[in-house]
Amino acid sequence: MSQEYHCRIYVTLRPSVLDPAGVAVQSGLHQLGYEGVEKVRIGKYIELTMMAHDKTHAETQLDEMCDRLLANPVIENYCYEITALETTGSPK
Amino acid sequence: MSQEYHCRIYVTLRPSVLDPAGVAVQSGLHQLGYEGVEKVRIGKYIELTMMAHDKTHAETQLDEMCDRLLANPVIENYCYEITALETTGSPK
């Protein structure tokens, strides 16, 4: 029986990769007066729901999806959180 | 005495706002064979460090930064997590 999972995926640039967008945002924040802000890095945050047999299956699928489409493994890292959604209605 | 804080900021489109990038990613995942994926939404994930007097001061600053630069309050929501960084070296 399949179960629905809610997934939150965080994709970040590897620490060794330059982040021009982060530099631009940091500069903007400094110009607005927030001088104490440093080390700004911009990443992606992806939310989705998926059907899977169990949590291990969901993790396997999610790893594949990140490697193939959601992240660029050459320059990006990713991590995720998976939560099983409550099923309402008909009994399983 | 100022304390350094590590902040993780999540900026997401409001639920009522269309997300064409999310639709495109969902379509891509379906084409790769991940048929069970739905409700894909793409947001931003921002990491930064900042100096602040205390956690309340950090939160106030962060709210301002989000409203003024990091998020567009008309179409986006944001939330954040703040962690105090360990200070090493000289005693305070």
Side-chain angles (χ1 to χ4, degrees):
Chain A
M1 192 70 76
S2 275
Q3 156 78 44
E4 189 169 19
Y5 292 90
H6 184 248
C7 311
R8 297 151 58 97
I9 304 152
Y10 312 96
V11 181
T12 50
L13 280 173
R14 287 177 186 271
S16 57
V17 177
L18 277 179
D19 180 5
V23 172
V25 166
Q26 182 169 318
S27 162
L29 288 171
H30 285 185
Q31 284 173 41
L32 287 174
Y34 306 101
E35 301 287 346
V37 176
E38 301 290 340
K39 298 182 193 159
V40 180
R41 304 282 288 177
I42 314 262
K44 280 178 289 185
Y45 170 62
I46 303 164
E47 281 184 333
L48 55 84
T49 65
M50 64 186 294
M51 300 301 294
H53 305 310
D54 53 33
K55 194 159 181 179
T56 309
H57 182 223
E59 286 172 354
T60 311
Q61 295 244 79
L62 216 45
D63 276 324
E64 280 182 26
M65 284 191 254
C66 286
D67 285 330
R68 295 176 71 186
L69 187 75
L70 303 179
N72 177 351
V74 177
I75 57 167
E76 292 172 328
N77 290 326
Y78 63 83
C79 59
Y80 50 75
E81 294 163 8
I82 301 180
T83 321
L85 290 177
E86 293 281 327
T87 48
T88 52
S90 57
K92 288 192 279 192
Chain B
M1 190 71 74
S2 274
Q3 157 77 44
E4 189 169 20
Y5 292 90
H6 184 248
C7 311
R8 297 152 57 98
I9 304 152
Y10 313 96
V11 180
T12 49
L13 279 173
R14 287 179 186 268
S16 57
V17 177
L18 276 180
D19 179 5
V23 172
V25 166
Q26 182 169 317
S27 162
L29 288 171
H30 285 184
Q31 283 171 41
L32 287 174
Y34 306 101
E35 300 288 347
V37 175
E38 302 290 340
K39 298 183 193 159
V40 180
R41 306 281 288 177
I42 314 262
K44 280 179 289 185
Y45 170 62
I46 303 164
E47 282 184 333
L48 55 84
T49 65
M50 64 186 295
M51 300 301 293
H53 305 311
D54 53 33
K55 195 159 181 178
T56 309
H57 182 223
E59 287 172 352
T60 310
Q61 295 243 81
L62 216 45
D63 276 324
E64 280 182 27
M65 285 191 253
C66 286
D67 286 330
R68 294 176 72 185
L69 186 76
L70 302 180
N72 177 349
V74 178
I75 57 167
E76 291 172 328
N77 290 325
Y78 63 83
C79 59
Y80 51 73
E81 294 163 8
I82 301 180
T83 320
L85 290 177
E86 293 281 326
T87 49
T88 53
S90 58
K92 288 191 281 191

